[in-house]
Amino acid sequence: MKLGLIGGTGPEGKGLGYRFAIAGHEVIIGSRRPERAAEAASEVAEHASAATVTGAANLDAAREADVVLLTVPYTAQAATLPDLRAALEGKIVISTAVPLSFEGGKPAMLAVPEGSAAEQAAALLPGARVVAAFQNLGAAKLWKAGLSLDQDVIVCADDAEAKSQVMSLAEQIEGVRAVDGGPLTAAHYVEGITALLVNVNKRYKKTTGVRIAGL
Amino acid sequence: MKLGLIGGTGPEGKGLGYRFAIAGHEVIIGSRRPERAAEAASEVAEHASAATVTGAANLDAAREADVVLLTVPYTAQAATLPDLRAALEGKIVISTAVPLSFEGGKPAMLAVPEGSAAEQAAALLPGARVVAAFQNLGAAKLWKAGLSLDQDVIVCADDAEAKSQVMSLAEQIEGVRAVDGGPLTAAHYVEGITALLVNVNKRYKKTTGVRIAGL
């Protein structure tokens, strides 16, 4: 499958790109600046060795990909997505963003009028099949070769078929179990878990994730 | 230790009362109506066999207890707590509530002006040492004799010493690990997890909980 990462040059984009490249997917790292995309792509390609990873302008990544992951920071989302609307029409678009601010060193959720970063993405991309996932996976763990993630990816969407596809995709990452978290409105709670994990990581000096117990 | 459960006659109050009774604590089930409290107390005492469980009016439970758990529904909190203010002065008060509505069969968080049920409790009880915990434990599992909970209790508070005491208390429930979730403002995220678990439970027909992975 061709996976496009919009704003994929940061740690989260590269980490997910790496994991999907080693799972055998064709990965297109998108950026506002194609030369930065190309740089990040060759970094990911080298890390994944021999996998097909290329860089492109965000719009080209959106056009060429079968499934798109949004790895732009939440605060850049409203400026980035409208230009991609036509290209993403009918496609599965995965929202990974968390509306988190670190003002004064303290993590705090920003108020999102739409309810969550994922619902904002859906509002900005009315023709896309938006699915929320991967918000709780730490970039450093994704990037670490051979590391089993050993955590859950909670997947929320209103489109059942798109949700199911993203759950399968998530489970191609070693040590990940996908859990159906309900409708897209529930993405708010999953995004909030990341804010909580930031507290826990700071307190325990670990990179933590979440598991649903009792399944 | 003497533990008081304010509004403890419902499934959550009885479930927690049972677990703390079998851990050897003296448990006082509080209610607006002392006769209902006495009924619930004898039910818990029988279930726990031989443990010291008594019923009392909420105000008496608040006065007599060393540590108090708020197990009134969120929507009754604002009407219940002001009368207990003086009795709870200086005491550890554990907020277990989740501001959840089930309108139209769909779980949704109610907007809480203070940020969370726990922060509302703190605002209503300015002299108390409010700690948020136990929001994600299902009442049915608590009540089930011999069942190991096998999940985490995420504890949030601004008072470090009170938080640490509540973490120890939580780990007296079989199969519970306490995790420091940060300041009281983080209770919002923990309360949100309950809304998410309601979705997961419905989808998978299980009673689920949460674990922090990677600690």
Side-chain angles (χ1 to χ4, degrees):
Chain A
M1 196 184 275
K2 267 192 204 171
L3 298 176
L5 292 142
I6 304 304
T9 59
E12 193 73 17
K14 288 196 290 187
L16 287 168
Y18 165 65
R19 292 287 173 163
F20 290 125
I22 60 172
H25 294 286
E26 214 172 302
V27 171
I28 310 165
I29 305 269
S31 172
R32 274 179 307 164
R33 292 162 48 204
E35 68 282 8
R36 274 197 67 201
E39 263 173 52
S42 63
E43 224 183 307
V44 174
E46 193 185 337
H47 194 49
S49 60
T52 316
V53 186
T54 55
N58 278 330
L59 184 57
D60 293 324
R63 277 189 187 130
E64 287 167 37
D66 303 310
V67 167
V68 162
L69 292 104
L70 304 177
T71 47
V72 283
Y74 165 72
T75 47
Q77 186 164 277
T80 307
L81 300 192
D83 291 343
L84 310 178
R85 195 171 293 174
L88 295 177
E89 185 84 30
K91 287 188 184 174
I92 293 176
V93 173
I94 306 171
S95 171
T96 76
V98 176
L100 206 50
S101 111
F102 285 91
E103 225 169 275
K106 282 183 188 171
M109 294 286 273
L110 299 165
V112 182
E114 293 83 357
S116 60
E119 288 163 281
Q120 186 190 78
L124 293 166
L125 302 169
R129 305 164 74 190
V130 175
V131 176
F134 304 116
Q135 305 99 321
N136 305 327
L137 297 184
K141 281 199 166 172
L142 286 168
W143 189 250
K144 209 162 191 174
L147 184 74
S148 174
L149 273 281
D150 291 334
Q151 63 184 97
D152 290 345
V153 164
I154 302 167
V155 184
C156 301
D158 298 328
D159 180 325
E161 204 268 327
K163 175 154 61 175
S164 156
Q165 280 198 45
V166 174
M167 289 177 72
S168 302
L169 195 61
E171 295 198 334
Q172 292 171 19
I173 299 178
E174 197 192 335
V176 163
R177 177 181 64 173
V179 174
D180 183 344
L184 199 66
T185 51
H188 171 74
Y189 311 125
V190 183
E191 295 173 10
I193 290 173
T194 302
L196 188 66
L197 295 178
V198 168
N199 285 345
V200 173
N201 292 348
K202 196 178 161 191
R203 168 71 186 78
Y204 293 90
K205 319 259 178 257
K206 303 260 185 184
T207 307
T208 60
V210 72
R211 280 280 194 203
I212 302 298
L215 275 187
Chain B
M1 196 184 276
K2 267 191 205 173
L3 298 176
L5 293 140
I6 305 303
T9 58
E12 193 73 17
K14 288 195 290 186
L16 287 168
Y18 166 65
R19 292 288 172 162
F20 290 125
I22 59 172
H25 294 287
E26 212 171 305
V27 171
I28 311 165
I29 305 269
S31 172
R32 274 179 306 165
R33 293 161 48 203
E35 69 281 8
R36 273 197 68 197
E39 263 172 52
S42 63
E43 225 183 309
V44 174
E46 193 186 337
H47 194 49
S49 59
T52 317
V53 186
T54 54
N58 279 329
L59 183 58
D60 293 323
R63 275 189 187 132
E64 288 167 35
D66 304 311
V67 168
V68 162
L69 292 103
L70 304 178
T71 46
V72 283
Y74 165 71
T75 47
Q77 186 164 278
T80 307
L81 300 191
D83 290 343
L84 311 178
R85 194 172 292 173
L88 296 177
E89 185 85 31
K91 288 190 184 172
I92 293 177
V93 173
I94 306 172
S95 172
T96 75
V98 176
L100 206 50
S101 110
F102 286 90
E103 226 168 277
K106 284 184 186 168
M109 294 286 274
L110 300 164
V112 182
E114 294 84 358
S116 59
E119 288 163 281
Q120 186 190 77
L124 292 166
L125 302 169
R129 306 165 73 190
V130 175
V131 176
F134 304 117
Q135 306 98 322
N136 305 326
L137 297 184
K141 281 200 167 171
L142 286 168
W143 189 250
K144 208 162 190 172
L147 184 74
S148 174
L149 273 282
D150 291 333
Q151 63 184 97
D152 290 346
V153 163
I154 302 167
V155 183
C156 301
D158 298 329
D159 179 326
E161 203 267 327
K163 175 155 59 177
S164 154
Q165 280 198 47
V166 174
M167 289 177 72
S168 303
L169 196 61
E171 295 199 333
Q172 293 172 19
I173 299 178
E174 196 194 334
V176 163
R177 177 181 65 174
V179 174
D180 183 345
L184 199 66
T185 51
H188 171 75
Y189 312 125
V190 184
E191 294 173 10
I193 290 174
T194 302
L196 188 66
L197 295 178
V198 169
N199 285 343
V200 173
N201 292 349
K202 195 177 160 191
R203 167 72 186 77
Y204 293 89
K205 319 261 179 253
K206 302 259 186 185
T207 307
T208 61
V210 72
R211 279 281 194 202
I212 302 299
L215 276 187

